[in-house]
Amino acid sequence: MRKVFAFLLSVCICTSTWAAAQISDTETERVIGELIAPLGDAAGIPDGRLKIHIVDDNDFNAFVMGGEEVYIYTGLLKQIKNPDALQAVVAHELGHMIGGHMAQMRDRMAAEMKRTMLIQALGVGLMVAGGNPSLGAGVLGGASGVAQQSMLAFSRDEERIADNMGVDLMIRAKQNPNGFIDVLKQMHEMTGALEEKINPNRINHPMTTERLNNVREYLIKTEYEYVADKIQSLRRTNEYEMVRAKLVGYLDTPKRVRELYPYSDKSDAALYARAIANMRGGNLDGAQTGVRTLISRNPENPYFWELMGDIEYQFGHYDDSVIAYEKSLDFAGNAPQIQTALALVLVERNKPGDATRAIELCKRALLTEQTPLTYWVLSRAYGNTDPGRSDWAMAEYYEKINKNTDAKKYAKRAQKNLKKTDPEYIKASDILNTN
């Protein structure tokens, strides 16, 4: 139980289009959210509608679904070197949305499928009636190639358009459009040697050098004025560095953490990454020393107090853990993940009044974000004193992790101890009535 980290308190499996772990973390979401918000405003997306999903995957990737759902891979966050470059990546993806490329791609794919089927039918006809099987087979084999080349050309053009629209979006949002130069340079550093061996006509994206040259030319032609706010720029760079350090500390190997943040590095980001890595590795004393140094430097940073709460919890120092989490919430405000973490410690400590406080925290967290772990903690907080609501919360937990049989089992048990007028009874009925 003491190996539950607040950073990973709410891990869920996304099953809509692929199975990938999504990480829910207050600090990461807030920092990235602040960076992306101006782009959403400039794109005409209503305030609060742009949702950020952090995907636990080492790929250098990000994409937008439905115009309002931004998926950013941890591999991208750990490698992108500055917040301007990250903004450029998201601006590019929003450029696809603004250009209507997703709908156009679906239409184009449908048209190309029809075209491919017609060519394949011609190929079969030549094989059967023309007396030249090799000719027919050649046409048949080339059918997908014709469609592919058309699609690849279409995709390369759209990438250029998305880059241009992304630049325009950055300018409208009063952000630094040179972030495109930064990220494309970094991508070229990563892929340049490999790209030299690739036939550009066989990939659906343009070469990085092509995109870099296009963006440079577009910036030269575009009249824009960007003046950086030095104080704001420094603040958001520091915050972004802390997020990168946090992700490295939690997700990378100890060896990798030491490579990126050697002991000679005394920066806040390095201390943060090493403290997290020490906690993960069981070196709680080392982790605690690092966090105490961070708190002495930044006593009002809610995420340092959150990490201290994690460490004290693993020590079994429940009273100190509660104090640290409470301080974290004082500075962070409404933070569902931290509220759930504090509720978990209160349930474990189980002093008079702890269960009531844990229930209150879980309910507040659920108003903002309905995560499986929060329901699990809520079930434990209700415990034997309120078995009906405890079973209902467990039913919600199982439904959130897509274990419908268990969800229905607990929903039935819940209704046996609840009044038909209770909100939880009605919610349990909803679970029972789902397929």
Side-chain angles (χ1 to χ4, degrees):
M1 284 299 301
R2 293 176 187 171
K3 291 188 177 181
V4 178
F5 307 133
F7 171 68
L8 296 174
L9 276 174
S10 183
V11 174
C12 62
I13 302 299
C14 175
T15 57
S16 57
T17 54
W18 80 100
Q22 289 187 45
I23 294 172
S24 184
D25 173 62
T26 302
E27 181 179 16
T28 303
E29 290 170 2
R30 286 187 177 179
V31 171
I32 304 305
E34 285 185 12
L35 290 174
I36 292 176
L39 301 176
D41 291 341
I45 298 172
D47 188 38
R49 292 278 291 275
L50 199 61
K51 304 298 182 185
I52 299 165
H53 304 273
I54 309 299
V55 181
D56 182 12
D57 191 295
N58 270 329
D59 281 354
F60 193 88
N61 195 18
F63 60 90
V64 176
M65 287 183 65
E68 297 175 354
E69 305 285 332
V70 180
Y71 291 81
I72 302 176
Y73 285 40
T74 53
L76 183 79
L77 291 172
K78 287 188 292 181
Q79 294 181 73
I80 289 286
K81 294 179 180 178
N82 64 64
D84 293 340
L86 179 65
Q87 284 183 314
V89 172
V90 176
H92 169 87
E93 297 303 323
L94 289 173
H96 280 303
M97 178 202 74
I98 295 169
H101 295 167
M102 303 309 175
Q104 290 179 32
M105 181 63 78
R106 285 193 297 269
D107 293 343
R108 185 62 174 249
M109 287 179 71
E112 292 299 342
M113 281 298 293
K114 291 178 181 178
R115 183 182 177 195
T116 300
M117 290 172 67
L118 287 172
I119 296 174
Q120 286 180 341
L122 174 61
V124 172
L126 286 171
M127 290 175 68
V128 173
N132 190 341
S134 61
L135 177 60
V139 175
L140 181 60
S144 61
V146 172
Q148 183 186 42
Q149 289 303 313
S150 177
M151 288 296 294
L152 292 178
F154 184 65
S155 297
R156 286 197 297 272
D157 192 46
E158 289 206 336
E159 289 303 308
R160 176 184 57 79
I161 294 170
D163 281 338
N164 292 350
M165 286 186 165
V167 168
D168 292 340
L169 193 63
M170 293 276 278
I171 293 170
R172 287 203 303 274
K174 295 181 171 55
Q175 304 301 305
N176 184 7
N178 287 302
F180 271 89
I181 302 295
D182 293 339
V183 72
L184 289 171
K185 279 184 176 179
Q186 185 177 349
M187 288 171 64
H188 180 61
E189 291 172 4
M190 295 167 59
T191 64
L194 181 62
E195 285 188 352
E196 291 177 1
K197 303 176 183 178
I198 296 174
N199 179 349
N201 295 321
R202 301 298 297 174
I203 59 174
N204 66 341
H205 274 50
M207 292 293 193
T208 306
T209 50
E210 180 186 342
R211 292 180 63 191
L212 182 57
N213 291 333
N214 287 339
V215 167
R216 280 176 170 154
E217 291 174 6
Y218 191 73
L219 282 170
I220 291 172
K221 292 187 294 184
T222 304
E223 294 184 5
Y224 72 93
E225 182 178 349
Y226 171 74
V227 180
D229 182 325
K230 292 184 179 179
I231 295 176
Q232 182 189 49
S233 179
L234 179 62
R235 175 188 62 81
R236 73 180 195 174
T237 297
N238 289 337
E239 290 177 347
Y240 181 68
E241 280 302 312
M242 298 307 291
V243 164
R244 292 182 67 204
K246 188 175 200 175
L247 291 170
V248 169
Y250 272 110
L251 301 177
D252 284 3
T253 64
K255 179 181 178 182
R256 181 62 175 162
V257 174
R258 290 192 298 271
E259 289 173 353
L260 293 174
Y261 300 100
Y263 286 103
S264 59
D265 187 345
K266 306 298 181 184
S267 66
D268 286 355
L271 285 174
Y272 202 24
R274 292 199 299 266
I276 293 167
N278 281 331
M279 181 182 70
R280 287 179 59 213
N283 180 8
L284 298 181
D285 289 326
Q288 190 179 61
T289 298
V291 177
R292 282 176 175 166
T293 302
L294 288 169
I295 289 174
S296 70
R297 296 178 182 179
N298 305 275
E300 296 186 4
N301 185 304
Y303 312 113
F304 297 161
W305 284 108
E306 177 190 16
L307 182 55
M308 181 63 82
D310 296 348
I311 295 167
E312 296 292 2
Y313 174 65
Q314 292 193 58
F315 266 124
H317 303 161
Y318 294 147
D319 290 346
D320 291 334
S321 181
V322 168
I323 290 170
Y325 280 131
E326 291 282 14
K327 281 185 174 292
S328 177
L329 284 175
D330 286 343
F331 296 124
N334 185 40
Q337 297 92 354
I338 302 173
Q339 289 164 345
T340 300
L342 175 54
L344 175 62
V345 179
L346 290 169
V347 169
E348 289 287 308
R349 187 174 71 171
N350 199 27
K351 286 185 176 181
D354 279 354
T356 301
R357 171 74 171 136
I359 291 168
E360 173 196 343
L361 286 163
C362 287
K363 286 183 174 180
R364 282 170 53 195
L366 290 169
L367 288 174
T368 304
E369 191 174 77
Q370 296 191 1
T371 62
L373 185 60
T374 305
Y375 279 114
W376 184 82
V377 175
L378 181 59
S379 176
R380 295 195 63 205
Y382 279 126
N384 295 328
T385 60
D386 196 340
R389 288 180 173 80
S390 177
D391 286 336
W392 158 74
M394 190 58 70
E396 295 283 1
Y397 163 76
Y398 279 118
E399 186 185 48
K400 290 290 181 292
I401 63 172
N402 296 317
K403 291 191 175 181
N404 294 329
T405 301
D406 290 324
K408 291 179 186 297
K409 180 181 76 173
Y410 276 94
K412 288 179 182 177
R413 284 175 47 172
Q415 288 190 333
K416 292 178 181 178
N417 291 292
L418 293 169
K419 298 177 182 178
K420 292 184 177 181
T421 54
D422 288 335
E424 293 81 4
Y425 184 99
I426 297 170
K427 292 174 182 177
S429 296
D430 292 338
I431 292 173
L432 290 170
N433 290 331
T434 57
N435 294 329

